[in-house]
Amino acid sequence: MPVRLNHVAIASDQYALNGRFYESLFGMKPSSKPRPARSVVLGDGYVGMNCIPRRDGRYSGLDHFGVEVEDVEDTIARIKRFDPSLSAVKRPPIRPFAAYSAHDPDTNIFDLSAPSMDKKDVYAENNWSQKRRISHIALRTRHAERCAEFYVEVFGLKRLERPKDDNHYLTDGRMTLMIIPWRIVDYYAQDPARTGLDHIGFEVESVEQVKQDMVFLIGENPHMRGRALGYGSEGEARLKLFQKCPLGCFHLTDIEGVHIDVAEA
Amino acid sequence: MSARINHVAITSDLYAMNARFYEALFGMKTGKKTLSPARAISVGDGYVGMTHIPRRDGRTSGLDHFGIEVDDIEDTIARMQKFDPELQALKRPPIRPYAAFSAHDPDTNIFDLSQRNIGFQKDVYADNSETDRVQPRTLSHIALRTRNAERCAHFYAEVFGLPLLNKPSDENYYLSDGRMTLVVIPWKIEDYYGMDPARTGLDHIGFKVESVDQVKKDLEFLIGKNPHMRGRALGYGSEGEARLNLFRKCPLGCHHFTDIEGVYIDVANGEAN
């Protein structure tokens, strides 16, 4: 059962600017057939990123991820077999990626798509390679072990052997879904963050080059500057928690404030 | 044991403007001794304090958490752990105006814990505990949408002694501290047909006002004076309509809008507390 972790969505009031940030710094490409009133959809050749205009009553930030499966109906049946109380909802047909949305045992929401679907935007075109690409999505959730079992059993994702930490690393062969246990005690000296998607990571040809490109971009356009990281005792505590991810070695945020880490491939 | 649901926090990049919105429309007031101007802004209605937090790196914006004031924090944490030994609490940085601890319910919804009369509270929270000011527009409810609503409702009832109210025939749970209501709504992904599913957590806040019509007029007047006081568009397009229809299911409000940040607010006519 080939599955692909190939969708991530960020909700933002500055969704258009945020889309430009990922285009500029990571070379992600927009669709050849954009729909200007809707989300900005970008791709790295494998993963599609939707920068969604934030809607009324909703949170902004890293919103959800998506999994492409061979057969959506079969996947929903597997979800129900894992836990009969889990369910899925059909999505509006206008969406470029998702046929259904569903959730794991901790109510983390993900989209489901299938290759046979009538996909739009970069999801219909995502088949190139580039030197900077999304390598992992990190989910911080309370019952990490049970959620990891869910993604392994339902999607057939493989567990990776990783260094001694209590995270779970699941791969589709290219992208890693990292599941981090959420514990309120990890938030000492800062505001506790809610559970859910934590950060995204990129593999790049050179971390030094990314740093230089960032400085150059901000010089060209001051709106390309992300959030301040590590300032003050609380900022330092947040950054230290973020830095515990072993898959990244340089840490920054996008315009929206989403945590990003990068490492060399 | 007399718990008070008397804190709500909103994180926003527009936190300063959002605080002005609540001051301007609902008459909420800043404290006599506010914290440093570089920090969050707290406004109060005489009972509930609302803290507008500058959004920080890696965090989501919107309605963030609520808070409960108790007689004895240590006793409350012990009750939580009796309810479910896996539940934990975390001591907060001392600079906070309200919270001594943060904790979470069985569905990992985060709330703050505060204790009255120990000289800990600052800003509007110190003013609110001195004397409950009466004003015509006050917060009446906080709505939490969560998957295991029944278990969470029992958690708040058992740990905080909040009685369950008998309400109209819907699936929600209504818990009251005698003034504020905590509405616990079951989160079901099927409820999000025709729109993007929203994550679980705080859903909206509600106000009791002297006149809903007057609130509508005041809002128009405010936007005329200052276009930045305009909230988000509600009910536009099929997806906007679906979101609004779901929001409208709360029986405690009859007029619906958002603040500057996009947080859902419903209002209803009611006597000032």
Side-chain angles (χ1 to χ4, degrees), chain A residues 11 13-14 38 52 54-64 80 83 85-92 94-95 101-107 109-111 142-143 182-198 227-230 234-235 238-239 241 253 256-259, chain B residues 11 13-14 39 53 55-65 84 86-93 95-96 102-108 110-112 147-148 187-203 232-235 239-240 243-244 246 258 260-264:
Chain A
D13 289 331
Q14 306 197 70
R38 300 194 62 89
I52 305 172
R54 182 177 174 214
R55 301 188 172 103
D56 51 278
R58 298 299 169 88
Y59 296 103
S60 71
L62 205 45
D63 196 72
H64 65 269
K80 297 259 191 208
D83 180 344
S85 73
L86 303 178
S87 43
V89 66
K90 202 166 166 51
R91 300 295 304 280
I94 194 73
R95 293 295 185 279
S101 288
H103 61 89
D104 68 19
D106 274 3
T107 330
I109 296 166
F110 55 83
D111 284 347
R142 195 157 152 242
H143 305 100
W182 181 97
R183 289 180 293 250
I184 200 166
V185 291
D186 286 337
Y187 294 95
Y188 184 73
Q190 57 179 306
D191 288 327
R194 64 185 62 202
T195 60
L197 288 183
D198 187 78
R227 307 269 164 149
L229 274 188
E234 294 188 35
R238 284 192 301 276
L239 181 57
L241 188 61
T253 80
E256 177 54 29
V258 168
H259 279 165
Chain B
T11 54
D13 291 331
L14 301 163
R39 298 196 63 88
I53 304 172
R55 184 178 173 211
R56 301 187 173 106
D57 56 275
R59 300 301 169 89
T60 54
S61 71
L63 204 46
D64 196 72
H65 64 268
D84 180 345
E86 285 186 1
L87 301 179
Q88 291 180 298
L90 170 74
K91 201 163 168 52
R92 299 296 302 280
I95 192 72
R96 296 294 186 276
S102 287
H104 61 89
D105 68 18
D107 275 3
T108 331
I110 296 167
F111 56 85
D112 283 347
R147 190 150 160 254
N148 302 295
W187 182 96
K188 293 185 291 254
I189 201 164
E190 298 87 347
D191 285 339
Y192 294 95
Y193 183 74
M195 59 177 142
D196 289 326
R199 64 179 69 189
T200 60
L202 287 183
D203 187 79
R232 308 267 164 150
L234 273 190
E239 293 189 36
R243 286 192 298 277
L244 181 55
L246 186 61
T258 80
I260 309 304
E261 176 56 28
V263 168
Y264 280 148

